[in-house]
Amino acid sequence: MKKFLRYLLIVLALILLAILVFLFRPVASKPVTGNDGEPVVDAVLIGGGIMSATLGTYLNELEPDWKIQMYERLDTVAQESSYAFNNAGTGHSGFMEMNYTPQADDGSIDIKRAENIASQFEVAKQFWAYQVQNGRLGQPNTFINPVPHIAFVWGNEVDYLKRRYQAMVKSPLFADMVYTEDKAEIERWSPLVMQGRDANQQVAATRMDIGSDVNYGAITTQLIDSLSKNANFSLATNSEVTGISRNADKTWTVSVKNLKTGELSQTKTRFVFIGAGGAAVKLLQYTDLPESKYYAGFPVGGLFLMTDNPAITAAHTAKVYGKAELGAPPMSVPHIDTRYVDGKKYVLFGPFATYSNKFLKNGSQLDLIKSATKDNALPMINIGLENTDLVKYLISQVMLSDDERLKELQKYYPNAKLEDWTAVQGGQRVQIIKKLPNEPAKLQFGTEIFSSEDGTVTALLGASPGASTSPHILLNLLEKSFPEQVQGKWKAKIEEIIPSYGKDLSKDAALLDEVRRNTSRTLGLNYQPKSTPAVSPATDAANVERLKQTSDEVVIKPAA
């Protein structure tokens, strides 16, 4: 027995030593010796998704003479999170996403985040409309389509939705929102949701007609195709970035491997943008920047049920969002969605959380392990221990059977039949674990901009609502990296692209109306300018009567 224990201790000691050696291994790229007179490009964009496509378009418009190099590890662009079936296609605008409107302990509803998201999506629509008008994006219905956004609840959540509506409708951004508890009206809005439902179940819904479904893969492909027509832009696919190292002259060298030929190359650049989804965590570690050591990643996947059954798709034209279950991450809010992809209509339901160690859908099961270092290992462990509810939720989701998934779907589509639906794996998301000096580690949901102190290396980390608000996010990134240009010679062009730039749409109803009128006309979205009633007098009167019975504070006025 003593001999066995001695061997066991030796084995454990060797394992511990191996772990320490692994965690303390060098992760930064080794300096690369360049050639004298080596050409320097103005920007390297890593990743061929919506973020790099949007930033590349901004830079090309602001500095047409800049040389821009984009690298994508797959054989074509827009195949990871930007790909249409790897995301929900939601134009996140705060209309129906109840996780953006939390309830405080006193029962009040905080709509600030919903206002921020809605304002940011208005920036996105301005950016896309400008690109359509200038020929960089094609026909709007190839990438965006009008789909009403509906928040739907039942039972005890009805009171919450009512108070949410009462708070939101006071903001110009949500002034056109309609609320109802009328089952027949909800059935007109979304037949699948109501048909077969228990007649005694109390239900409520809100609706915004200006909602949309967006194909981010199509936007990405079209923008990059447009960039490729410019002699100063170059795209290299099947090209994996293997190093990012600082040079003595404060430029950066990006080392690249051609995955088809095995050929190694390098590019010297003044500016690096890492828009590689979950892989951004590992790529940042190459830079050896002090700020890069603050981050780790927690991967979460999503699975959707999808149907193209004509009888179902014809009956459902809406994005209907419910409330997330206790312990579920924000990306797991259940919703049954109309999707338009390559001219065809689908209905998706989900997402169901899945787990993989991969940081990309086309990544490696070693991604999570390879990202662990002496700087982030303990924060990763602490976050795991502090978020046991999330861990339990992920385990329960992974263990769901087909019949159990069907039962979840039937909460939103009571008459659903399993044979009509196919399970499709969505994209991989990496939530950020951030540990600042002298602060506890935090698991962060949402999208975060990383910028080095001098602004020469930037990255986007995290997940939703990233793609929806990418034009706004990347404007913020430009402000961090090029503050003088943004406030100087670039400002007029930015204001041409984004007329509301620098203004608060949540406080300027007239400007919001003008922006929505112009973008909706260009993009083919459903919006009635304030000169026309947004709802019929009968509907408006019905809303007044319904809410009179529950709140003396609510005043619903016909649109001026």
Side-chain angles (χ1 to χ4, degrees):
M1 186 66 180
K2 290 183 178 180
K3 190 174 182 180
F4 170 77
L5 290 175
R6 188 182 307 119
Y7 284 134
L8 179 60
L9 289 173
I10 292 172
V11 170
L12 292 175
L14 289 173
I15 291 172
L16 178 60
L17 179 62
I19 292 172
L20 291 174
V21 169
F22 174 77
L23 292 177
F24 280 80
R25 75 197 186 283
V27 293
S29 301
K30 294 180 180 179
V32 175
T33 303
N35 301 319
D36 292 338
E38 181 181 3
V40 182
V41 302
D42 295 287
V44 165
L45 312 178
I46 304 173
I50 186 73
M51 296 300 181
S52 290
T54 302
L55 181 58
T57 300
Y58 269 131
L59 292 176
N60 183 248
E61 291 174 330
L62 298 170
E63 293 287 352
D65 295 330
W66 276 21
K67 293 190 179 300
I68 301 172
Q69 174 68 57
M70 179 183 290
Y71 290 112
E72 167 56 47
R73 65 190 291 270
L74 301 179
D75 57 5
T76 188
V77 299
Q79 295 303 300
E80 281 287 346
S81 295
S82 301
Y83 179 64
F85 289 121
N86 284 347
N87 59 69
T90 301
H92 282 291
S93 45
F95 298 156
M96 60 190 172
E97 303 93 333
M98 288 175 273
N99 55 304
Y100 295 156
T101 50
Q103 178 175 274
D105 291 340
D106 63 0
S108 62
I109 307 297
D110 183 358
I111 69 166
K112 188 61 181 176
R113 190 176 181 210
E115 284 189 308
N116 289 340
I117 298 296
S119 296
Q120 292 171 19
F121 190 65
E122 294 300 331
V123 171
K125 290 190 292 184
Q126 291 172 77
F127 177 84
W128 297 330
Y130 183 86
Q131 306 313 323
V132 170
Q133 293 162 357
N134 288 273
R136 296 181 185 89
L137 286 175
Q139 290 295 320
N141 64 3
T142 62
F143 66 86
I144 189 168
N145 285 276
V147 174
H149 284 192
I150 296 172
F152 176 73
V153 299
W154 58 84
N156 295 333
E157 299 295 349
V158 168
D159 178 64
Y160 161 81
L161 188 66
K162 188 179 300 175
R163 286 182 288 108
R164 177 182 186 268
Y165 167 77
Q166 292 166 358
M168 295 183 76
V169 77
K170 297 173 185 176
S171 168
L173 289 159
F174 311 114
D176 293 337
M177 184 177 286
V178 179
Y179 174 90
T180 187
E181 296 175 22
D182 187 319
K183 294 180 174 66
E185 188 169 7
I186 297 174
E187 185 169 351
R188 286 193 292 272
W189 292 356
S190 182
L192 298 186
V193 168
M194 293 304 297
Q195 291 169 3
R197 186 170 295 276
D198 182 352
N200 295 318
Q201 187 177 55
Q202 186 182 14
V203 295
T206 60
R207 173 178 170 128
M208 285 286 286
D209 280 338
I210 197 176
S212 59
D213 172 69
V214 187
N215 184 334
Y216 298 105
I219 292 175
T220 302
T221 301
Q222 292 179 27
L223 289 180
I224 293 176
D225 284 348
S226 178
L227 284 169
S228 297
K229 297 173 184 176
N230 189 305
N232 289 324
F233 175 84
S234 180
L235 167 67
T237 57
N238 295 298
S239 299
E240 183 169 28
V241 171
T242 57
I244 306 171
S245 57
R246 192 73 182 254
N247 301 316
D249 61 359
K250 297 186 179 180
T251 61
W252 294 85
T253 293
V254 178
S255 301
V256 181
K257 180 180 180 180
N258 185 305
L259 297 179
K260 279 194 170 181
T261 67
E263 179 184 359
L264 303 177
S265 63
Q266 58 192 52
T267 299
K268 193 174 181 181
T269 182
R270 297 182 180 89
F271 173 77
V272 178
F273 170 67
I274 304 173
V281 173
K282 180 61 181 174
L283 290 168
L284 270 179
Q285 292 173 349
Y286 289 155
T287 68
D288 201 32
L289 289 165
E291 310 97 295
S292 70
K293 297 176 173 60
Y294 300 156
Y295 295 95
F298 180 79
V300 180
L303 182 143
F304 290 91
L305 297 179
M306 180 183 72
T307 183
D308 60 357
N309 183 321
I312 298 174
T313 59
H316 188 75
T317 303
K319 287 184 178 288
V320 179
Y321 269 53
K323 284 200 75 176
E325 294 184 7
L326 184 65
M331 68 170 61
S332 293
V333 172
H335 45 95
I336 182 166
D337 287 2
T338 293
R339 297 298 315 276
Y340 293 97
V341 180
D342 299 332
K344 185 174 179 179
K345 190 179 182 184
Y346 300 84
V347 175
L348 269 68
F349 175 77
F352 299 94
T354 62
Y355 184 78
S356 167
N357 289 328
K358 294 180 179 181
F359 278 2
L360 294 168
K361 188 173 181 179
N362 295 284
S364 165
Q365 289 291 353
L366 296 177
D367 285 343
L368 178 59
I369 296 172
K370 286 183 176 180
S371 73
T373 69
K374 61 181 176 60
D375 299 301
N376 64 23
L378 283 178
M380 291 168 71
I381 294 170
N382 288 338
I383 288 297
L385 294 174
E386 291 172 3
N387 289 269
T388 54
D389 285 346
L390 175 57
V391 173
K392 290 177 182 176
Y393 172 80
L394 290 175
I395 293 173
S396 69
Q397 288 275 289
V398 171
M399 299 299 290
L400 287 177
S401 66
D402 290 344
D403 288 338
E404 288 170 327
R405 291 194 187 100
L406 177 64
K407 288 179 181 178
E408 292 300 311
L409 170 59
Q410 288 172 337
K411 293 178 182 178
Y412 292 86
Y413 175 17
N415 290 338
K417 296 179 175 61
L418 188 60
E419 58 265 27
D420 291 324
W421 298 81
T422 301
V424 293
Q425 182 64 44
Q428 193 74 355
R429 305 290 188 269
V430 176
Q431 306 298 337
I432 296 307
I433 297 171
K434 187 174 182 180
K435 171 67 174 73
L436 293 173
N438 303 316
E439 292 186 16
K442 296 179 181 179
L443 177 63
Q444 298 186 177
F445 297 101
T447 306
E448 174 158 329
I449 298 172
F450 172 93
S451 180
S452 60
E453 189 174 344
D454 62 2
T456 58
V457 173
T458 58
L460 288 183
L461 305 165
S464 183
S468 295
T469 58
S470 51
H472 168 84
I473 291 168
L474 292 163
L475 269 181
N476 285 349
L477 184 144
L478 290 173
E479 291 169 347
K480 289 176 179 287
S481 291
F482 305 100
E484 293 182 6
Q485 291 94 322
V486 168
Q487 294 305 316
K489 65 176 183 174
W490 291 357
K491 189 173 183 180
K493 185 66 175 180
I494 291 174
E495 290 174 343
E496 179 185 333
I497 300 169
I498 313 293
S500 70
Y501 179 67
K503 300 177 176 67
D504 187 350
L505 291 176
S506 70
K507 293 181 171 58
D508 192 334
L511 178 59
L512 174 64
D513 182 45
E514 180 183 352
V515 165
R516 283 182 169 172
R517 182 189 303 117
N518 293 337
T519 57
S520 298
R521 182 171 57 243
T522 299
L523 299 176
L525 302 179
N526 293 329
Y527 178 66
Q528 294 184 6
K530 294 308 176 189
S531 57
T532 304
V535 295
S536 69
T539 301
D540 192 68
N543 272 302
V544 171
E545 187 61 31
R546 273 192 294 272
L547 287 162
K548 266 183 180 178
Q549 301 171 8
T550 56
S551 174
D552 294 329
E553 299 177 358
V554 180
V555 179
I556 306 178
K557 300 177 180 178

